[in-house]
Amino acid sequence: MSGPTAAAIPEEALRARRAQLAVDLTCSLIAQSRDLSLAEALGMMADARRIVLGLFPDKESTFNLIYRPRFHRLLRERLGLSEEEIGALG
């Protein structure tokens, strides 16, 4: 079993930083936008998801485990949605 190459480790770290930045900026925009609609928030979340999955293909379950709860918390806090309403969104 071989481990990652010396070049692969910094490259993956860079992709991880880019993914984190995309999610952090999205969360910040959702939290700070005064007149944000649900559709706009969902669109921003979908864009962040596309960016992260573009950086880490086949890691949708990891995205759902790490970032989805964070986005759901924002929807509850910022837009006043209940868990049931968020669950119905998919």
Side-chain angles (χ1 to χ4, degrees):
M1 181 167 92
S2 63
T5 65
I9 294 172
E11 190 270 331
E12 184 168 344
L14 178 61
R15 289 187 295 131
R17 285 193 298 272
R18 287 180 177 162
Q20 187 64 51
L21 180 62
V23 172
D24 287 347
L25 287 173
T26 301
C27 289
S28 182
L29 285 169
I30 292 171
Q32 295 176 23
S33 297
R34 292 187 182 267
D35 297 325
L36 187 71
S37 71
L38 175 59
E40 291 168 326
L42 292 174
M44 293 165 71
M45 291 166 46
D47 289 342
R49 181 178 176 275
R50 274 191 292 278
I51 291 168
V52 172
L53 294 180
L55 293 166
F56 293 97
D58 302 323
K59 295 293 183 182
E60 185 172 3
S61 62
T62 303
F63 178 90
N64 290 338
L65 180 69
I66 296 172
Y67 297 122
R68 193 172 188 188
R70 187 172 171 189
F71 285 133
H72 284 189
R73 180 183 52 81
L74 272 172
L75 291 177
R76 284 192 311 273
E77 291 175 0
R78 182 70 179 85
L79 300 173
L81 298 179
S82 69
E83 285 296 327
E84 292 79 26
E85 291 169 317
I86 292 171
L89 296 173

